[in-house]
């Protein structure tokens, strides 16, 4: 039964409004980086509690209530920051040297601009309600990540952007970017969110879109993410490390990879492999195998998603969030089919 009282809690709605406004104020990417640091803090508290044979209440408070709650929950603060950029670009507030459509600039902080913060607040509340509904119905995937995806679809619709966009050639074709093809001047002039002429195709990460490169990164990070989950007995620590590492991308290390969408499904897969037993019972070869498999699959799905929904669109529709949804849903499916003995923290089908 759906707990309507929890969904429509005035206090939590107000917290979500504040979290969304804060996400808009500091920017979507900086807000998500804080999510990563809070996850690390929470899981470190969990490890310390286990070492001292004490309570893990502090870890639950930091990870669940702060990192994934109304303060830095990605469905609230990050999604609100992305929506704020979409709105501000439409209003002509952004004039930066960002290479793509201004609405994709999720590193931009809007400070104290009241109408942008109000948009952030509304999308923070929307993200909270969407995720609480999915939790209430025990949807078999990462509900927070799905909240990020749905919020981006919502902001595209709300502010008049195409949900998918129009490819200049094939949906998966990145060659126009490699050849530095630009959109026609007429198309650019009609779009208030663009400063100067824009690329015909805008891959999510110029340093991370070639199939082989993405596949190799997926296997490497998948193995490491699974191992971190295994030794720490935390399915979230690898995700937190990957998310926090984006501070380097935020400050301008252009070739820095994005990996949290690989780390989370791969570390979760280890817990699914353990089933109801302790993760310590899983063999190291099993850790490496499931990490490589789920890392590869999640990385490649994220690439497919960005080529369809990001590269030809005008706003940030988050490929990592979509990859996490797919990777965690795949774990749930594998559990239902008997391929894996459990689904970890992911609700079972």
């Amino acid at each position: 039964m759906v707990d309507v009282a929890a969904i429509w809690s005035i206090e939590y709605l107000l917290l979500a409004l504040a979290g969304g406004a804060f996400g808009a104020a500091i920017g979507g990417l900086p807000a998500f980086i804080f999510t990563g640091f809070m996850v690390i803090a929470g899981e470190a508290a969990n490890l310390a509690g286990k070492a001292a044979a004490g309570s893990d209440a502090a870890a639950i408070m930091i990870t669940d209530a702060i990192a994934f709650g109304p303060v830095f929950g990605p469905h609230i603060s990050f999604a609100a920051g992305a929506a704020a950029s979409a709105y501000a670009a439409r209003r002509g507030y952004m004039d930066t040297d960002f290479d793509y459509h201004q609405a994709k600039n999720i590193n931009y902080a809007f400070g104290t601009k009241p109408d942008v913060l109000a948009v952030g607040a509304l999308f923070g509340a929307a993200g909270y309600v969407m995720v609480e509904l999915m939790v209430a119905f025990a949807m078999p995937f990462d509900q927070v990540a799905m909240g990020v995806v749905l919020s981006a679809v919502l902001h595209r619709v709300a502010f008049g952007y195409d949900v998918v966009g129009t490819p200049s050639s094939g949906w998966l074709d990145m060659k126009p970017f490699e050849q530095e093809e630009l959109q026609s001047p007429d198309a650019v002039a009609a779009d208030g969110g663009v400063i100067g002429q824009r690329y015909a195709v805008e891959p999510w990460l110029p340093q991370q879109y070639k199939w082989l490169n993405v596949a190799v990164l997926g296997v490497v990070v998948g193995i490491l993410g699974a191992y971190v989950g295994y030794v720490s007995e935390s399915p979230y620590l690898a995700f937190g490390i990957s998310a926090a590492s984006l501070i380097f991308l935020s400050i301008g290390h252009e070739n820095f990879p994005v990996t949290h969408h690989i780390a989370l499904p791969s570390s979760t897969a280890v817990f699914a492999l353990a089933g109801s037993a302790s993760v310590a019972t899983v063999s190291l070869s099993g850790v490496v195998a499931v990490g490589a498999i789920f890392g590869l699959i999640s990385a490649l799905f994220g690439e497919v998603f960005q080529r369809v929904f990001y590269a030809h669109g005008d706003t940030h529709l988050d490929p990592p969030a979509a990859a996490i949804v797919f990777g965690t849903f795949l774990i749930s499916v594998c559990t239902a089919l008997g391929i894996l003995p459990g689904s970890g923290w992911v609700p079972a089908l």
Side-chain angles (χ1 to χ4, degrees):
M1 182 179 294
V2 178
D3 187 354
V4 176
I7 296 173
W8 296 110
S9 164
I10 295 299
E11 294 84 0
Y12 274 100
L13 279 171
L14 288 173
L15 284 167
L17 286 165
F22 187 65
I26 68 174
L29 181 56
F32 184 68
I33 292 167
F34 274 115
T35 300
F37 281 113
M38 290 298 100
V39 170
I40 293 172
E43 297 312 292
N46 186 24
L47 290 171
K50 288 179 179 178
S55 170
D56 62 354
I60 294 172
M61 177 183 70
I62 295 172
T63 303
D64 291 353
I66 299 178
F68 296 136
V71 184
F72 291 119
H75 59 300
I76 293 175
S77 60
F78 172 79
S85 291
Y87 167 80
R90 183 61 82 193
R91 294 297 301 270
Y93 293 162
M94 302 171 72
D95 183 0
T96 73
D97 59 358
F98 190 65
D99 289 337
Y100 293 173
H101 193 291
Q102 295 293 304
K104 291 180 175 178
N105 188 352
I106 58 171
N107 203 33
Y108 193 92
F110 292 97
T112 59
K113 201 163 184 61
D115 58 331
V116 181
L117 268 60
V119 167
L122 291 174
F123 274 85
Y128 164 74
V129 171
M130 286 189 289
V131 169
E132 287 301 315
L133 282 170
M134 287 185 281
V135 170
F137 284 104
M139 303 303 288
F141 43 70
D142 186 331
Q143 297 108 344
V144 168
M146 180 61 90
V148 173
V149 174
L150 294 178
S151 179
V153 173
L154 179 62
H155 82 229
R156 284 188 174 185
V157 173
F159 302 129
Y161 296 97
D162 290 341
V163 172
V164 179
T166 304
S168 61
S169 53
W171 285 107
L172 303 181
D173 185 12
M174 296 291 104
K175 286 189 176 62
F177 174 77
E178 295 171 353
Q179 296 166 357
E180 299 185 352
E181 292 182 17
L182 302 176
Q183 292 189 11
S184 68
D186 290 340
V188 173
D191 193 333
V194 179
I195 306 300
Q197 204 163 5
R198 59 186 291 206
Y199 291 107
V201 175
E202 298 173 337
W204 164 50
L205 296 169
Q207 77 277 17
Q208 188 178 319
Y209 71 89
K210 295 182 178 180
W211 291 113
L212 179 59
N213 301 28
V214 170
V216 170
L217 183 68
V219 172
V220 169
V221 175
I223 291 173
L224 294 177
Y227 179 72
V228 170
Y230 173 66
V231 296
S232 67
E233 298 187 358
S234 165
Y236 307 117
L237 181 57
F239 167 83
I241 294 170
S242 289
S245 75
L246 293 178
I247 190 170
F248 297 107
L249 186 65
S250 177
I251 63 176
H253 287 261
E254 295 182 353
N255 290 325
F256 200 86
V258 178
T259 58
H260 58 281
H261 60 301
I262 304 168
L264 183 57
S266 61
S267 60
T268 301
V270 177
F271 287 79
L273 188 60
S276 58
S278 168
V279 71
T281 62
V282 178
S283 68
L284 194 55
S285 59
V287 170
V288 171
V290 296
I293 292 169
F294 280 89
L296 175 64
I297 291 172
S298 298
L300 291 177
F301 182 86
E303 181 56 31
V304 171
F305 189 90
Q306 81 86 11
R307 291 181 182 228
V308 175
F309 289 98
Y310 183 99
H312 311 292
D314 293 333
T315 75
H316 185 88
L317 208 168
D318 199 52
I324 291 172
V325 172
F326 182 78
T328 53
F329 179 67
L330 184 59
I331 289 172
S332 187
V333 170
C334 287
T335 303
L337 295 175
I339 298 171
L340 291 172
S343 59
W345 55 268
V346 182
L349 275 171

